[in-house]
């Protein structure tokens, strides 16, 4: 059963320098109680896609096409008032930088309890009690006293846990986690990722967005690889790691450090994907990855490839597999 079904979603930004297609004809689904990973370099459209789902794209950006079905309703056809009842209640988002997501003028308790009072018609005492329980559940010590603290009094890891507690406050059906471990040290990263992984036991589906394939290797069931606003490959996690098809996906795999005990592999120099992500306002003709691709053909420079289904549940946007 698909709890979220996105069809041909396109989000563009009108700039003085031209039209930037940040999300371009993206289609995918999320099943109930499933964790889906979205990977790609910075500037590939991952965060804009997540914000588009909640209709949080601000001018000069706008959703120009597509359908976003949640619980049988197209979110793009709802009023702003109806969307406010869905945001934070049925669909929550864990934003990239916790310090910019929390209001520095209010203590932690007020910010978490406000969501509970808004969506669950709870009184102040009920909301405070639930806030303490949520903070304890996400691993914040002494939550009874912590609720009186302000964001600047907490570490980055603690602030990220508060954001997760806010996302869980109303038991949402879907959580969009946008780079939830950015700027955290590796120990705290592991703790936060473990906490997100436990969300599936709460019957919550998760869309985990990251630039790091290694982060999600053991967490998700399916992976979507994005490049210049498009999905260039999608497959279940085993297929993608055992048999990456798109040259971009293969390049991302090769750039992951290995701790293999084999001395040859251990001393192997990391490979890089040459070049950088192109300007979305000036994309090359044909396949947008061809200037960086080692396997480029003439057709790649002329015509953009479709998303070909190589085998069941494994699709790739590359002329090599037509």
């Amino acid at each position: 059963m698909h709890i979220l079904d996105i069809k041909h979603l396109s989000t563009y930004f009108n700039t003085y320098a031209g039209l930037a297609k940040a999300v371009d004809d993206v289609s995918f689904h999320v099943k109930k109680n499933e964790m889906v990973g979205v990977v790609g370099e910075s500037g590939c459209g991952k965060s804009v896609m997540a914000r588009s789902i909640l209709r949080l794209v601000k001018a000069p950006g706008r959703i120009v096409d597509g359908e976003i079905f949640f619980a049988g309703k197209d979110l793009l056809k709802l009023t702003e008032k109806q969307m406010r009842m869905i945001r934070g209640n049925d669909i929550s988002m864990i934003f990239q930088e916790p310090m910019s997501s929390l209001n520095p003028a209010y203590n932690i308790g007020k910010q978490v309890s406000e969501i509970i009072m808004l969506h669950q018609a709870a009184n102040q005492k009920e909301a405070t009690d639930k806030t303490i329980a949520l903070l304890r559940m996400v691993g914040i010590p002494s939550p009874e006293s912590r609720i009186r603290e302000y964001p600047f009094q907490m570490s980055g890891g603690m602030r990220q846990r508060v954001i997760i507690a806010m996302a869980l406050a109303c038991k949402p059906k879907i959580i969009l986690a946008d780079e939830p471990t950015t700027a955290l040290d590796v120990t705290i990263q592991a703790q936060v990722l473990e906490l997100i992984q436990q969300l599936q036991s709460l019957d919550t589906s998760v869309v985990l967005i990251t630039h790091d394939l290694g982060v999600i290797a053991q967490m998700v069931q399916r992976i979507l690889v994005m490049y210049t606003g498009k999905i260039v490959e999608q497959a279940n996690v085993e297929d993608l790691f055992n048999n990456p098809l798109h040259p971009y996906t293969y390049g991302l795999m090769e750039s992951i450090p290995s701790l293999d005990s084999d001395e040859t592999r251990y001393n192997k120099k990391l490979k890089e994907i040459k070049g950088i992500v192109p300007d979305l306002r000036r994309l090359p003709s044909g396949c947008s990855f061809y200037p960086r691709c080692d396997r480029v053909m003439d057709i790649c420079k002329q015509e953009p490839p479709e998303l070909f289904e190589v085998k069941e549940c494994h699709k790739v946007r590359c002329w090599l597999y037509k």
Side-chain angles (χ1 to χ4, degrees), residues 90-123:
D90 295 316
I91 306 176
S92 292
M93 189 162 180
I94 301 171
F95 291 95
Q96 212 170 116
E97 176 45 57
M99 197 59 189
S100 61
S101 303
L102 294 169
N103 192 326
Y106 296 100
N107 62 43
I108 296 303
K110 180 174 178 60
Q111 295 189 58
V112 179
S113 61
E114 185 178 49
I115 297 171
I116 299 168
M117 294 172 69
L118 174 65
H119 290 295
Q120 298 192 339
N123 59 39

Side-chain angles (χ1 to χ4, degrees), residues 7-285:
K7 299 179 179 180
H8 307 293
L9 176 65
S10 295
T11 302
Y12 297 169
F13 286 78
N14 289 299
T15 72
Y16 290 114
L19 185 67
K21 298 181 178 181
V23 178
D24 191 13
D25 196 20
V26 166
S27 299
F28 72 96
H29 66 268
V30 181
K31 298 176 183 176
K32 184 177 180 181
N33 204 32
E34 181 185 34
M35 189 177 292
V36 175
V38 183
V39 298
E41 294 168 281
S42 296
C44 287
K46 308 183 301 297
S47 297
V48 175
M49 182 197 69
R51 288 177 174 271
S52 298
I53 293 172
L54 283 174
R55 284 174 47 187
L56 292 175
V57 178
K58 303 297 182 184
R62 61 191 179 96
I63 299 171
V64 299
D65 195 15
E67 298 171 310
I68 304 173
F69 287 100
F70 170 74
K73 298 177 182 178
D74 186 354
L75 300 185
L76 298 182
K77 293 181 179 178
L78 299 184
T79 64
E80 180 58 27
K81 183 178 179 181
Q82 289 171 319
M83 278 304 301
R84 282 200 299 268
M85 298 310 297
I86 288 176
R87 297 187 195 113
N89 190 24
D90 295 316
I91 306 176
S92 292
M93 189 162 180
I94 301 171
F95 291 95
Q96 212 170 116
E97 176 45 57
M99 197 59 189
S100 61
S101 303
L102 294 169
N103 192 326
Y106 296 100
N107 62 43
I108 296 303
K110 180 174 178 60
Q111 295 189 58
V112 179
S113 61
E114 185 178 49
I115 297 171
I116 299 168
M117 294 172 69
L118 174 65
H119 290 295
Q120 298 192 339
N123 59 39
Q124 183 64 64
K125 184 180 184 308
E126 292 170 339
T128 300
D129 290 344
K130 186 164 184 180
T131 297
I132 292 171
L134 282 166
L135 295 181
R136 183 178 290 113
M137 184 179 75
V138 299
I140 293 181
S142 306
E144 295 84 359
S145 59
R146 289 277 188 172
I147 60 173
R148 293 188 289 274
E149 292 186 358
Y150 290 81
F152 72 88
Q153 295 175 287
M154 306 183 103
S155 67
M158 287 292 110
R159 289 196 294 264
Q160 193 62 286
R161 289 170 187 268
V162 171
I163 294 294
I164 294 173
M166 292 172 72
L168 292 174
C170 298
K171 297 182 179 179
K173 296 178 176 64
I174 302 174
I175 289 181
L176 309 174
D178 185 9
E179 300 276 10
T181 58
T182 296
L184 301 179
D185 63 62
V186 290
T187 304
I188 303 302
Q189 275 188 25
Q191 294 173 0
V192 170
L193 289 172
E194 184 180 0
L195 182 58
I196 291 172
Q197 197 168 25
Q198 292 171 0
L199 298 180
Q200 287 185 294
S201 63
L202 303 174
D203 278 342
T204 299
S205 301
V206 180
V207 178
L208 178 59
I209 299 167
T210 180
H211 62 275
D212 189 346
L213 274 168
V215 162
I216 60 174
Q218 303 298 321
M219 295 184 63
V220 305
Q221 286 80 50
R222 285 187 299 120
I223 297 180
L224 314 175
V225 183
M226 286 192 71
Y227 188 74
T228 58
K230 292 181 178 289
I231 293 176
V232 296
E233 187 165 1
Q234 58 178 315
N236 64 51
V237 67
E238 293 84 4
D239 281 347
L240 197 84
F241 275 85
N242 292 331
N243 185 30
L245 299 180
H246 198 282
Y248 178 61
T249 310
Y250 185 78
L252 291 177
M253 297 289 187
E254 287 291 294
S255 66
I256 299 174
S258 172
L259 296 179
D260 198 296
S261 58
D262 187 318
E263 188 175 348
T264 304
R265 281 184 58 88
Y266 185 75
N267 293 322
K268 186 179 72 172
K269 183 179 178 180
L270 283 177
K271 293 184 179 180
E272 62 179 14
I273 304 175
K274 65 182 181 181
I276 60 173
V277 178
D279 188 332
L280 293 175
R281 297 165 299 184
R282 300 177 183 86
L283 292 175
S285 58

